[in-house]
Amino acid sequence: MSIFALVDCNNFYASCERVFNPRLEGKPIVILSNNDGCVIARSNEAKKIGIPMGAPYYQWRQVCEQHQVHVFSSNYELYGDMSQRVMSSLERLCPDIEIYSIDEAFLIFDGFSSQELYAYAVQIRKTIKQWTGIPVSVGLSLTKTLAKCANKLAKGHATDGVWDLTKRESQDKALTSFPIEDIWGIGRRLSVKLHDIGIHTAADLRDEDRSLLRNKFGIVMEKISHELNGTSCLPIETIQPKKQIISSRSFGKLVTELSELEEAVSHYTALACIKLRKQKSVASGICVFLHTNRFRESDSQYSNSLSYFFPDATDDTGYMISMVKQSLKKIYRKHFRYHKAGIMLLDIKPNHIQQLSLLSTIDTKKQSLMTTIDAINKTIGKNSLFFCAEGIEKRWQIKREYRSPRYTTHWDELVVINS
DNA sequence: TCTGGGGTCCTAGGACCC
DNA sequence: TCTGGGGTCCTAGGACCC
């Protein structure tokens, strides 16, 4: 029988900061979202202080200062690179792997006894720590959902960072005190509804009449119940190309001018196109959106979006920028203070099964231009070449006052050791 | 002053087809 | 008395995840 292991990095972003700055060990750390807006990651010490996930930073700044919390802007280049190191290490330890998020992966094992597997999980944990510096926890069980539960227990209680829920007795014991809101796939709204009908723990949900669950909540809930019962409904999935790519940011300052919005939106388009070409795909359309700051109740509010579909699916940044600027002009209104804008690439397909229009004229020169730009930027550094439309000053760019060095991706930001 | 960003899946309802 | 029935595709909205 197959056993799923969920490997999850502990407080991933905070751990990444610690790898290159060991003085942070044992200290409270928080990491802020883009624009230094919200708290999006916390070390255990920061959790203990009571700083909640998602809290607006300006409301917690004082508390942070008071407790000498180390505050960082998000450093996605560092976290992304560290994630790759963790994932490629895991791939060497187990060939059957699904990378589920930046800090989690499911592994699948066949033919291990549960004692052997427990020992191997402990080994995996040690190896990842040694190779990357990142601490991880491992949850073991018969389904993905149970492995998630096991991982949660590993984080809370396990001494060696591994929790085994493969045996029915251990499941019974754990699930009767496992709150439904902690189950993977049950969010805030569903847990309220479940409590209303008397389902309070994972065991309650597991033992509930599944046709009732199906009728009341749909197939997702029915599957969760099966999964909690040890029947696997969610297989390991291989990496799929994205079906849509979104690129958007809040601005570092409120923006009123069309010209600045054009720059921002062009820049986001360029970023999205890089991702698009990287996964060897083309997009059939692009949607542009913008809105004012809904938290500023005294400001007049406006939001809008507009999609444009291309005659032929494409990955050409220049063409998309020109189209997106036209769309933006149509939805732009003067006299509003804009807080955020973005674009979404729509109906993405692999570039080798491109459906051409009757009158299509694919421009191979442009294709090789994009390939060349990507190659140059890859060799001599990001943004070495970019479209003028993206702007040079980029005054609307996000704030990142507390970003740590990009230790692993920039030569001039390498870690320095003072003797 | 200051409130993230990027994704997926499912469902219901409408449009349309034969 | 008694409006056809069965199917697909698309979209918007809701829910969730990290």
Side-chain angles (χ1 to χ4, degrees):
Chain A
M1 191 186 330
S2 298
I3 293 179
F4 291 86
L6 177 66
V7 180
D8 189 316
C9 302
N10 301 346
N11 312 319
F12 182 54
Y13 297 170
S15 299
C16 289
E17 299 293 348
R18 274 183 184 151
V19 170
F20 298 94
N21 191 349
R23 285 199 193 96
L24 296 172
E25 213 62 55
K27 305 269 169 59
I29 304 174
V30 300
I31 285 90
L32 305 180
S33 62
N34 279 333
N35 265 324
D36 298 339
C38 294
V39 173
I40 53 163
R42 304 154 297 156
S43 70
N44 287 340
E45 297 78 9
K47 288 176 191 170
K48 252 181 221 152
I49 293 170
I51 303 167
M53 180 72 172
Y57 176 55
Y58 74 96
Q59 292 174 359
W60 288 85
R61 173 174 284 154
Q62 281 212 327
V63 176
C64 288
E65 281 166 8
Q66 208 182 321
H67 289 84
Q68 301 183 348
V69 176
H70 296 259
V71 177
F72 292 92
S73 303
S74 32
N75 184 348
Y76 283 108
E77 251 185 83
L78 177 65
Y79 310 150
D81 188 61
M82 292 304 287
S83 172
Q84 272 185 23
R85 295 179 187 207
V86 171
M87 298 308 168
S88 56
S89 306
L90 285 174
E91 274 161 0
R92 287 176 61 177
L93 299 165
C94 173
D96 257 332
I97 172 169
E98 172 188 337
I99 298 170
Y100 177 68
S101 74
I102 193 163
D103 71 335
E104 290 171 74
F106 288 102
L107 314 180
I108 194 161
F109 294 100
D110 283 298
F112 278 85
S113 77
S114 104
Q115 292 91 327
E116 284 169 338
L117 198 52
Y118 188 93
Y120 192 56
V122 172
Q123 191 57 44
I124 287 177
R125 199 170 167 270
K126 267 191 199 151
T127 310
I128 298 296
K129 174 80 181 160
Q130 190 185 354
W131 289 359
T132 68
I134 300 289
V136 301
S137 303
V138 186
L140 298 169
S141 196
L142 307 176
T143 67
K144 282 183 164 181
T145 307
L146 283 171
K148 271 273 194 183
C149 295
N151 191 280
K152 194 142 230 163
L153 296 166
K155 287 237 162 71
H157 313 287
T159 45
D160 43 14
V162 178
W163 198 272
D164 179 6
L165 278 187
T166 50
K167 297 244 163 38
R168 185 70 190 196
E169 310 87 75
S170 57
Q171 293 166 21
D172 281 337
K173 198 173 162 214
L175 298 191
T176 43
S177 55
F178 201 93
I180 43 162
E181 40 276 327
D182 289 351
I183 299 170
W184 187 42
I186 313 264
R188 214 165 28 100
R189 290 172 198 265
L190 286 175
S191 52
V192 171
K193 287 188 189 163
L194 285 168
H195 280 300
D196 283 349
I197 59 167
I199 296 174
H200 307 293
T201 67
D204 293 341
L205 184 56
R206 178 193 65 186
D207 301 332
E208 182 58 64
D209 174 15
R210 298 212 179 88
S211 56
L212 180 142
L213 291 174
R214 170 77 185 238
N215 285 333
K216 270 209 154 83
F217 299 95
I219 194 166
V220 176
M221 190 67 79
E222 190 189 1
K223 280 188 183 171
I224 293 175
S225 177
H226 274 295
E227 284 251 318
L228 289 170
N229 196 38
T231 311
S232 177
C233 305
L234 308 171
I236 287 278
E237 284 169 29
T238 50
I239 298 175
Q240 297 297 323
K242 299 271 180 265
K243 295 172 185 169
Q244 59 180 39
I245 294 173
I246 299 172
S247 177
S248 77
R249 303 278 185 281
S250 320
F251 302 125
K253 60 169 188 107
L254 292 171
V255 168
T256 54
E257 295 304 312
L258 177 62
S259 60
E260 286 197 294
L261 287 172
E262 283 180 336
E263 281 184 13
V265 162
S266 302
H267 182 58
Y268 303 150
T269 304
L271 292 176
C273 284
I274 291 170
K275 280 192 194 169
L276 183 70
R277 289 191 294 271
K278 206 168 186 179
Q279 67 167 38
K280 300 193 189 337
S281 299
V282 287
S284 317
I286 187 165
C287 171
V288 57
F289 56 90
L290 79 181
H291 55 80
T292 49
N293 188 346
R294 67 180 199 283
F295 291 106
R296 294 174 67 112
E297 285 170 9
S298 53
D299 279 13
S300 27
Q301 299 290 322
Y302 173 68
S303 74
N304 209 345
S305 69
L306 184 61
S307 299
Y308 175 81
F309 284 87
F310 316 124
D312 292 307
T314 179
D315 62 3
D316 181 345
T317 304
Y319 173 69
M320 284 200 224
I321 286 180
S322 67
M323 293 304 128
V324 92
K325 280 168 77 175
Q326 287 180 25
S327 299
L328 179 69
K329 274 200 187 86
K330 289 186 190 149
I331 57 171
Y332 171 76
R333 301 284 178 275
K334 271 187 188 168
H335 311 307
F336 287 105
R337 285 139 55 97
Y338 294 99
H339 170 246
K340 182 173 175 179
I343 64 98
M344 206 186 298
L345 301 183
L346 306 167
D347 195 11
I348 293 173
K349 305 164 190 160
N351 59 12
H352 60 269
I353 52 166
Q354 210 170 143
Q355 171 73 52
L356 301 182
S357 72
L358 191 60
L359 305 172
S360 115
T361 46
I362 288 275
D363 188 343
T364 47
K365 260 191 219 155
K366 280 215 175 136
Q367 284 183 335
S368 47
L369 174 65
M370 297 318 307
T371 316
T372 311
I373 292 178
D374 288 342
I376 291 174
N377 282 333
K378 198 178 169 191
T379 334
I380 65 173
K382 264 187 190 171
N383 292 321
S384 302
L385 274 181
F386 60 91
F387 282 79
C388 206
E390 298 173 51
I392 294 167
E393 271 190 80
K394 298 191 175 73
R395 278 182 291 141
W396 37 268
Q397 234 173 10
I398 57 168
K399 262 195 308 203
R400 279 192 299 208
E401 281 181 42
Y402 318 107
R403 203 201 61 210
S404 54
R406 294 164 291 188
Y407 300 105
T408 61
T409 51
H410 284 246
W411 286 114
D412 46 358
E413 297 182 24
L414 292 182
V415 76
V416 176
I417 300 166
N418 298 311
S419 57

